[in-house]
């Protein structure tokens, strides 16, 4: 039974994230460095571990986890914002985004985890009013590492027997009931384009204490990796189930209260375009996160409705409730240091 192995691996990954993540003591007093894991990404996904209720009668979820890591190649965002006025800043990085779900049953083999390995580039400009406009382009591979027929248990993917079963699926098929949940293959290459605008209200220390964040995104599933490598793509059958395009919108309000408590309230939506008629195209999430003592670690609760976002579980839909722990390595920091330095120099001379 592999459950213990997977759990140990997850604990190790989370521990590594805690050790190598951005320090939470006081980002203002830490000198800007270019070492890995200590950079700022205005568009990012937060690691988390949580309880998650079920959407399907076929599985009982024990926990849901996203031990996400960013590996920096180059990032001058914090340095530019703290030491220059309104200049463009950039980041280049690799993103490892696993999504692990443990079910209340024996895991042999481990059931269809998700892996995203992406290479990304982000740009950020601070406006004259100390607001942020950022954009990101990320591209890479998304799969669950399985080799079974997606809707034929006990069969190999792309075998003749698997193809014959897939030919029987029509627009009226119940995909949740047919899905091979043990080792059904899910594989595609993806490119995601995102934009974010943040309205910042600054406190006396020039840290944003009230933030309104608006994000939009377009995610494209395509067959060729990075647009030219014929590896890891989908079949014609797969893309008719997945849908080629995903459009997202996100709003988040972040408030730091009395310098000790930070909380956020957010809403996320996603629309799938071109999927099988059984797939619910809409997904919505309402979440609240509280960061005690204004640290990096937070406690969150979320209500989710619509399609699932766990690889081939996109065929499942319904309402879910989640509660757990998240880590935000990219917390608000001083963004007007350059202006303060100039004022100090004028007074000195």
């Amino acid at each position: 039974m592999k459950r213990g192995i997977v759990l140990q691996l997850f604990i190790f990954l989370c521990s590594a994230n805690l050790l190598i993540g951005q320090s939470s003591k006081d980002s203002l007093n830490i000198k800007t460095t270019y070492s890995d894991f200590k950079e700022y990404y205005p568009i990012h996904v937060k690691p988390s571990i949580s309880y998650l209720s079920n959407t399907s009668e076929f599985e009982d979820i024990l926990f849901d986890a996203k031990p996400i890591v960013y590996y920096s190649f180059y990032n001058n965002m914090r340095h530019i914002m703290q030491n220059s006025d309104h200049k463009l800043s950039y980041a280049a990085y690799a993103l490892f985004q696993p999504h692990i779900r443990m079910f209340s049953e024996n895991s042999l083999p481990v059931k269809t985890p998700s892996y995203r390995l992406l290479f990304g580039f982000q740009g950020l400009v601070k406006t004259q009013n100390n607001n942020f406009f950022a954009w990101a382009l990320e591209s890479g591979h998304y799969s669950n590492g399985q080799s079974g027929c997606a809707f034929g248990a006990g069969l190999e993917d792309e075998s003749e027997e698997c193809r014959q079963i897939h030919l029987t699926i029509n627009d009226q098929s119940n995909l949740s009931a047919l899905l091979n949940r043990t080792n059904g293959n899910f594989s595609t290459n993806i490119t995601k384009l995102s934009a974010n605008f943040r309205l910042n209200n600054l406190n006396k220390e020039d840290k944003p204490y009230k933030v309104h964040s608006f994000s939009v995104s377009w995610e494209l599933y395509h067959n060729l990796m990075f647009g030219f490598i014929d590896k890891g793509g989908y079949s014609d059958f797969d893309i008719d189930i997945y849908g080629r395009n995903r459009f997202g919108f996100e709003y988040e309000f972040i408030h730091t209260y009395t310098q000790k408590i930070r909380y956020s309230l957010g809403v996320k939506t996603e629309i799938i375009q071109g999927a099988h008629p059984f797939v619910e195209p809409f997904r919505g999430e309402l979440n609240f996160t509280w960061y005690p003592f204004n640290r990096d670690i937070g406690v969150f609760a979320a209500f989710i409705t619509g399609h699932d976002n766990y690889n081939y579980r996109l065929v499942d839909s319904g309402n879910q409730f989640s509660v757990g722990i998240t880590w935000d390595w990219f917390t608000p920091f001083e963004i007007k240091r350059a202006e303060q330095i100039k004022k100090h120099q004028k007074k000195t001379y």
Side-chain angles (χ1 to χ4, degrees):
M1 186 170 66
K2 303 284 187 69
R3 176 180 297 180
I5 296 174
V6 175
L7 187 56
Q8 290 174 27
L9 176 61
F10 170 72
I11 293 172
F12 169 78
L13 289 171
C14 285
S15 299
N17 255 336
L18 286 170
L19 290 172
I20 62 183
Q22 174 184 324
S23 172
S24 63
K25 291 181 180 179
D26 188 352
S27 60
L28 304 185
N29 295 325
I30 298 175
K31 293 182 180 179
T32 304
T33 68
Y34 294 94
S35 60
D36 291 347
F37 311 104
K38 293 186 178 179
E39 312 296 357
Y40 178 71
Y41 300 94
I43 298 173
H44 62 271
V45 181
K46 301 172 186 176
S48 65
I49 179 172
S50 66
Y51 160 79
L52 182 66
S53 62
N54 301 318
T55 57
S56 169
E57 62 181 294
F58 303 103
E59 290 173 313
D60 186 18
I61 301 170
L62 185 60
F63 70 78
D64 185 269
K66 300 174 183 177
I68 296 164
V69 182
Y70 286 77
Y71 298 89
S72 176
F73 299 128
Y74 177 81
N75 191 320
N76 66 356
M77 289 186 175
R78 186 185 299 273
H79 176 79
I80 291 293
M81 282 190 289
Q82 291 186 334
N83 296 284
S84 302
D85 287 335
H86 318 302
K87 288 185 178 180
L88 288 171
S89 55
Y90 303 97
Y93 55 93
L95 168 60
F96 180 51
Q97 189 177 339
H99 189 175
I100 300 169
R101 213 173 260 183
M102 185 62 68
F103 301 94
S104 297
E105 57 189 72
N106 292 339
S107 297
L108 186 63
V110 177
K111 291 183 67 174
T112 58
S114 282
Y115 305 103
R116 293 184 186 226
L117 180 58
L118 309 173
F119 291 93
F121 179 84
Q122 294 193 26
L124 172 65
V125 61
K126 183 178 69 173
T127 71
Q128 294 289 336
N129 296 323
N130 298 303
N131 301 318
F132 294 169
F133 176 72
W135 62 95
L137 178 64
E138 298 172 331
S139 187
H141 181 65
Y142 176 25
S143 68
N144 63 5
Q146 304 297 308
S147 60
C149 182
F151 295 94
L155 301 176
E156 287 294 313
D157 187 43
E158 297 186 350
S159 66
E160 184 58 33
E161 294 85 354
C162 180
R163 292 190 186 95
Q164 291 302 314
I165 288 180
H166 286 175
L167 287 174
T168 66
I169 293 176
N170 55 43
D171 289 353
Q172 288 71 48
S173 296
N174 184 330
L175 299 183
S176 286
L178 297 174
L179 181 63
N180 174 8
R181 297 173 182 272
T182 301
N183 68 339
N185 174 62
F186 176 92
S187 183
T188 185
N189 293 307
I190 59 174
T191 295
K192 185 175 183 179
L193 179 64
S194 308
N196 172 261
F197 182 70
R198 291 192 176 210
L199 291 166
N200 295 316
N201 294 280
L202 307 185
N203 60 18
K204 294 180 180 179
E205 288 77 33
D206 297 321
K207 279 185 179 181
Y209 79 100
K210 282 186 180 180
V211 178
H212 298 273
S213 175
F214 304 87
S215 298
V216 293
S217 64
W218 169 42
E219 187 171 311
L220 174 67
Y221 285 12
H222 49 87
N223 194 41
L224 299 180
M225 187 181 298
F226 308 120
F228 63 91
I229 302 175
D230 190 13
K231 294 289 184 182
Y234 51 71
S235 68
D236 292 339
F237 171 82
D238 292 333
I239 198 61
D240 287 341
I241 303 294
Y242 304 164
R244 193 176 300 275
N245 297 287
R246 281 154 174 74
F247 303 97
F249 171 79
E250 180 177 352
Y251 167 76
E252 185 178 23
F253 173 69
I254 307 166
H255 184 207
T256 302
Y257 181 71
T258 67
Q259 302 297 316
K260 294 294 183 181
I261 298 175
R262 179 164 47 96
Y263 68 89
S264 69
L265 180 65
V267 60
K268 300 178 184 178
T269 62
E270 181 183 70
I271 299 291
I272 300 176
Q273 182 271 325
H276 186 277
F278 183 82
V279 176
E280 168 58 54
F282 177 78
R283 176 181 172 88
E285 179 179 335
L286 179 66
N287 60 76
F288 175 82
T289 306
W290 172 49
Y291 299 90
F293 309 108
N294 198 15
R295 309 286 286 187
D296 289 341
I297 189 170
V299 180
F300 75 91
F303 172 76
I304 304 161
T305 187
H307 65 259
D308 201 348
N309 67 346
Y310 187 65
N311 56 66
Y312 236 136
R313 302 310 193 279
L314 65 95
V315 300
D316 297 335
S317 61
N319 299 324
Q320 290 178 289
F321 175 74
S322 179
V323 59
I325 298 172
T326 186
W327 290 265
D328 187 1
W329 304 135
F330 314 115
T331 54
F333 59 91
E334 183 183 355
I335 64 174
K336 293 180 66 178
R337 180 176 292 175
E339 296 173 23
Q340 299 303 322
I341 290 173
K342 287 183 178 179
K343 289 180 182 179
H344 177 72
Q345 289 174 339
K346 288 180 180 179
K347 290 180 181 179
T348 303
Y349 297 100

